[in-house]
């Protein structure tokens, strides 16, 4: 019942899976450069960005390529995050750091697939990343 | 998991125990203050009472032993009539004088009727909680059940059982979490079913809203709400004693069953969702939007599964009414619970369970008082009674004290239940006249939810 809430625990879980030796996990589905949000000013100018405002992810459906990194930037004071249900990016759930105004959070997608996500305290905020 | 309900019969056991224990038990389990005369108590019993060592019960006003008092605004003291504690002492003394032996037994509660009332005490978010089973006609506590964290109480419409959806942890408030549905026999109060919910189907932990969980109209399934990670409704099959499945629903809240497989929810977009889960499928459709974003619907609507009437006030006392059937929701013309003058004078609804609906008379009861706009959870001292059909004001009852929750019994001459979380007291009024008849004290730490069986049709 433990939740993989940080990069470390996700990597730990993956390492354990690998030791489990079925070979089912060829690579991590996602990697997170930093566990905590960073200032929006640190987001590279050419980055793929999903803005969060007015209780919505402004790009509800985003299509990217394998290996791309997506930056979420919160434009309002209402705190938001990016979370995945159990089984989407890991066996457990994944809960990204809560972002204040003008904070950003990055996730690199390493595998093709459709990744539905939501905001932890606002389950009605939903969107998806399609990795091709 | 094991049944942790042994404590309940023990309270009842004490009641039938020795004379000294009887007085003690009355203090523990029978917190009530009925000042009604009990003429059937024999005179000889009253004489024998001091010898039975219960003089503080018979000689005083009953407070010390029964833990209860008569209503402050009613006649008090021994002259006002015999308290429950005095009656018990007199009976025990008479039994002793007659040479009757004391045979301790586990009692059963009387058969449920329309005037039985359940008081759920969420205890200000404590890890364990209690529910009091009370006979509204007499104001006697007739039993108790234990619950975990913020349990959601449920009562079958026919009185055949009551139940709760609850949560416990392996180390009181931490460790492994277990969510479960527990069904109780209404007379023995023993659990007749204990059904675990799977981890991925955990329920919503929230201040207890009466309609966040519900029984289907055939009383065969429990429907409970899940908030996170996504809005969902869990179905628990009581006939088979097992968790059935989690239904994916839109961004909607509360559960109002209209048939064995159809229920409605209130959605963020301002509409109702109709959910049909027959034959292992989930079909969802939405009604028209029936209120604006500025019209804030409170967390405590009244609903009668018996006639499908949903009564939903806003922060200002505007009341939306819907008729819910298996097929569709029909919206009635909204009514105003408060007059224009009252609204100009800062009258607004407020409290916890602020709305009650009496099905037979088609009347709405709403807790109101003068208050600031953002003091909507503070208690109220008045109840307005409204004809649900015409919107006409029938009565404005001054309760005389701060009240957080109200409900009514569904019999032809209803009782108005007025519960104070602040004083942990249930005040029982005549719903027609508003007069207070009796009260029941010492109901936990913060009792908030009043539930009845609608079984008198
Ligand atoms: Cu959010």
């Amino acid at each position: 019942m433990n939740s993989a809430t940080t990069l470390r625990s996700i990597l730990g879980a993956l390492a354990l899976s690998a030791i489990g030796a079925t070979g089912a996990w060829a690579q991590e589905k996602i990697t997170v450069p930093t566990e905590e949000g960073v200032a929006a000013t640190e987001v590279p100018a050419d980055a793929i960005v999903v803005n969060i405002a007015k209780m919505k992810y402004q790009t509800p459906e985003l299509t990217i390529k394998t290996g791309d990194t997506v930056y979420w930037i919160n434009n309002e004071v209402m705190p938001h995050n990016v979370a995945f249900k159990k089984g989407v990016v890991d066996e457990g759930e994944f809960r990204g750091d809560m972002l204040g105004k003008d904070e950003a959070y990055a996730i690199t997608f390493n595998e093709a697939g459709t990744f539905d996500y939501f905001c932890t305290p606002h389950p009605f905020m939903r969107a998806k990343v399609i990795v091709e | 998991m094991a049944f942790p309900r042994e404590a309940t019969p023990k309270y009842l056991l004490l009641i039938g125990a020795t004379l000294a224990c009887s007085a003690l038990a009355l203090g523990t389990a029978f917190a009530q203050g009925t000042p009604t005369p009990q003429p059937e108590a024999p005179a000889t019993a009253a004489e024998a009472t001091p010898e039975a060592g219960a003089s503080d019960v018979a000689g005083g006003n009953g407070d010390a032993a029964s833990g209860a008092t008569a209503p402050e605004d009613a006649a008090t003291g021994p002259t006002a009539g015999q308290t429950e504690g005095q009656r018990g002492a007199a009976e025990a003394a008479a039994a002793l004088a007659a040479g009757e032996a004391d045979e301790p037994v586990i009692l059963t509660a009387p058969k449920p009727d329309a005037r039985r009332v359940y008081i759920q005490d969420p205890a200000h978010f404590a890890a364990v909680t209690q529910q009091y089973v009370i006979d509204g006609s007499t104001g006697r506590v007739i039993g108790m059940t234990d619950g975990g964290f913020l349990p959601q109480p449920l009562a079958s419409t026919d009185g055949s059982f009551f139940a709760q959806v609850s949560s416990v942890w392996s180390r009181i408030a931490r460790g492994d979490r277990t969510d479960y549905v527990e069904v109780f026999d209404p007379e023995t109060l023993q659990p007749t079913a204990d059904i675990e919910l799977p981890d991925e189907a955990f329920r919503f932990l929230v201040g207890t809203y009466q309609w966040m969980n519900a029984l289907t109209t055939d009383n065969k399934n429990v429907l409970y709400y899940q908030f996170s990670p996504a809005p969902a409704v869990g179905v628990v099959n009581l006939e088979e004693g097992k968790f059935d499945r989690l239904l994916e629903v839109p961004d909607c809240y509360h559960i109002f069953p209209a048939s064995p497989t159809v229920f409605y929810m209130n959605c963020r977009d301002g509409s109702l969702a109709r959910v049909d889960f027959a034959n292992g499928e989930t079909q969802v459709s939405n009604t028209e939007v029936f209120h604006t974003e500025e019209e804030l619907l409170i967390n405590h609507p009244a609903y009668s599964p018996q006639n499908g009437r949903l009564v939903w006030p806003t922060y200002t006392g505007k009341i939306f009414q819907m008729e819910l059937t298996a097929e569709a929701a029909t919206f009635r013309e909204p009514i105003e619970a408060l007059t224009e003058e009252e609204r100009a004078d800062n009258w607004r609804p407020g409290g916890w369970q602020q709305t009650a609906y009496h099905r037979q008379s088609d009347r709405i009861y709403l807790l109101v008082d003068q208050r600031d706009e953002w003091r909507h959870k503070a208690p109220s001292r008045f109840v307005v009674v409204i004809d649900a059909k015409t919107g006409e004001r029938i009565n404005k009852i001054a309760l005389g004290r701060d009240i957080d929750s109200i409900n009514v019994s569904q019999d032809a001459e209803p009782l108005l239940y007025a519960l104070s979380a602040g004083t942990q007291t249930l005040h029982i009024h005549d719903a027609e006249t508003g007069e207070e008849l009796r009260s029941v004290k010492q109901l936990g730490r913060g009792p908030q939810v009043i539930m009845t069986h609608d079984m008198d049709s």
Side-chain angles (χ1 to χ4, degrees):
Chain A
M1 283 210 294
N2 289 334
S3 310
T5 55
T6 64
L7 174 64
R8 188 169 302 142
S9 55
I10 281 194
L11 292 176
L14 290 168
L16 286 173
S17 304
I19 293 167
T22 60
W25 289 83
Q27 63 176 136
E28 308 93 356
K29 288 188 181 176
I30 61 167
T31 40
V32 176
T34 59
E35 290 174 35
E36 286 178 13
V38 297
T41 50
E42 290 180 33
V43 176
D46 59 346
I48 302 166
V49 171
V50 174
N51 284 295
I52 310 174
K54 296 185 177 163
M55 306 298 283
K56 281 193 174 82
Y57 300 105
Q58 298 298 317
T59 316
E61 199 176 302
L62 175 74
T63 304
I64 59 168
K65 292 199 172 61
T66 304
D68 280 350
T69 298
V70 180
Y71 288 81
W72 280 265
I73 301 176
N74 186 8
N75 302 156
E76 63 187 6
V77 288
M78 177 70 77
H80 300 292
N81 76 342
V82 174
F84 298 93
K85 280 201 229 180
K86 276 183 191 175
V88 177
V89 296
D90 185 54
E91 279 170 41
E93 62 174 8
F94 173 87
R95 188 182 293 190
D97 193 35
M98 295 299 302
L99 305 177
K101 188 176 191 316
D102 297 328
E103 284 186 336
Y105 191 80
I107 297 176
T108 304
F109 291 83
N110 304 321
E111 270 187 27
T114 299
F115 298 86
D116 290 298
Y117 62 93
F118 65 99
C119 175
T120 299
H122 309 125
F124 52 90
M125 288 177 61
R126 289 182 244 186
K128 64 176 74 174
V129 174
I130 299 163
V131 184
E132 292 174 342
Chain B
M1 66 185 284
F3 294 152
R5 195 89 307 102
E6 288 306 312
T8 302
K10 276 178 191 159
Y11 281 111
L12 298 172
L13 172 71
L14 280 170
I15 294 160
T18 61
L19 288 174
C21 285
S22 296
L24 191 66
L26 289 163
T28 311
F30 279 16
Q32 63 84 49
T34 314
T36 33
Q38 301 283 341
E40 71 272 18
T44 51
E47 282 163 26
T49 299
E51 295 164 34
S55 56
D56 55 336
V57 177
N61 62 8
D63 290 11
S66 73
T69 58
E72 293 89 328
D73 51 359
T76 55
T79 53
Q82 200 177 25
T83 67
E84 196 60 43
Q86 288 168 337
R87 187 188 62 78
E91 273 180 19
L96 184 66
E100 281 175 34
D102 194 34
E103 301 285 352
V105 293
I106 296 172
L107 298 180
T108 55
K111 276 192 190 312
D113 61 24
R115 287 187 155 193
R116 174 186 281 202
V117 54
Y118 300 86
I119 302 298
Q120 175 68 40
D121 174 21
H124 306 294
F125 300 90
V128 291
T129 52
Q130 287 181 311
Q131 179 173 254
Y132 299 83
V133 188
I134 294 166
D135 176 3
S137 297
T138 61
R140 282 169 55 110
V141 174
I142 53 177
M144 293 164 71
T145 54
D146 293 322
F149 185 57
L150 296 172
Q152 295 273 346
L154 299 159
S156 68
T157 41
D158 59 1
S160 60
F161 67 89
F162 64 102
Q164 64 183 1
V165 194
S166 187
S167 301
V168 293
W169 279 258
S170 57
R171 292 289 185 274
I172 307 215
R174 62 182 177 82
D176 288 337
R177 171 177 168 183
T178 305
D179 282 10
Y180 61 103
V181 170
E182 200 171 22
V183 180
F184 298 96
D185 179 284
E187 290 176 66
T188 66
L189 306 195
Q190 292 286 355
T192 57
D194 184 324
I195 305 162
E196 263 193 51
L197 310 180
D199 287 6
E200 63 274 16
F202 276 162
R203 68 197 192 92
F204 185 20
L205 298 178
V206 67
T208 316
Y209 304 151
Q210 201 188 357
W211 292 102
M212 199 54 86
N213 300 253
L215 289 159
T216 51
T217 55
D218 57 2
N219 294 313
K220 288 180 180 169
N221 290 285
V222 168
L223 304 172
Y224 68 93
Y225 187 68
Q226 181 182 73
F227 176 74
S228 184
V233 172
V235 183
V236 176
N237 185 323
L238 294 181
E239 277 194 320
E240 292 176 24
K242 63 175 202 200
F243 172 79
D244 179 351
R245 66 194 205 269
L246 213 49
L247 314 176
E248 265 188 54
V249 295
D251 180 26
C252 310
Y253 306 82
H254 296 85
I255 299 167
F256 308 102
S259 87
T261 63
V262 172
F263 61 89
Y264 291 81
M265 306 180 77
N266 180 35
C267 305
R268 183 172 299 273
D269 66 8
S271 72
L272 294 182
R274 174 188 176 276
V275 182
D276 188 341
F277 65 101
N279 307 318
E281 291 174 22
T282 312
Q283 291 181 338
V284 182
S285 56
N286 284 77
T287 68
E288 72 208 55
V289 171
F290 66 93
H291 69 102
T292 68
E293 265 188 74
E294 286 69 44
E295 292 171 323
L296 305 176
L297 271 59
I298 66 171
N299 288 325
H300 305 276
Y303 180 61
S304 170
Q306 296 281 53
N307 71 354
R309 180 75 63 82
L310 178 56
V311 177
W312 213 321
T314 66
Y315 279 27
T316 63
K318 180 175 184 175
I319 297 178
F320 293 94
Q321 291 187 79
M322 304 79 160
E323 312 281 349
L324 307 182
T325 68
E327 291 72 38
T330 313
F331 294 86
R332 297 166 71 116
E333 193 61 34
I335 56 179
E336 292 287 352
L338 296 165
T339 64
E340 217 168 299
E341 299 77 57
E342 284 170 328
R343 276 178 275 145
D345 212 12
N346 289 320
W347 283 87
R348 293 182 177 91
W352 192 252
Q353 196 175 328
Q354 302 162 35
T355 328
Y357 172 69
H358 187 255
R359 178 171 56 87
Q360 288 188 47
S361 64
D362 199 22
R363 285 183 182 182
I364 297 167
Y365 297 77
L366 184 65
L367 260 180
V368 297
D369 208 329
Q370 287 174 293
R371 54 168 30 87
D372 179 81
E373 187 181 358
W374 302 112
R375 297 268 297 159
H376 53 284
K377 289 186 182 175
S380 294
R381 295 166 300 164
F382 298 85
V383 169
V384 288
V385 186
I386 302 151
D387 183 320
K389 188 167 278 153
T390 62
E392 213 168 280
R393 172 83 58 90
I394 293 167
N395 200 356
K396 187 174 187 177
I397 299 168
L399 298 166
R401 55 175 60 79
D402 283 350
I403 291 297
D404 297 276
S405 295
I406 56 166
N407 206 338
V408 289
S409 62
Q410 295 292 339
D411 52 332
E413 290 171 8
L415 297 171
L416 170 64
Y417 300 117
L419 180 63
S420 166
T423 62
Q424 302 88 39
T425 303
L426 174 68
H427 299 274
I428 303 176
H429 297 249
D430 181 319
E432 184 66 36
T433 64
E435 181 199 359
E436 178 168 0
L437 305 172
R438 56 193 77 92
S439 63
V440 190
K441 288 195 169 187
Q442 297 185 352
L443 301 175
R445 283 170 282 182
Q448 282 186 298
V449 180
I450 310 169
M451 186 176 75
T452 64
H453 294 287
D454 183 1
M455 57 189 287
D456 203 48
S457 52

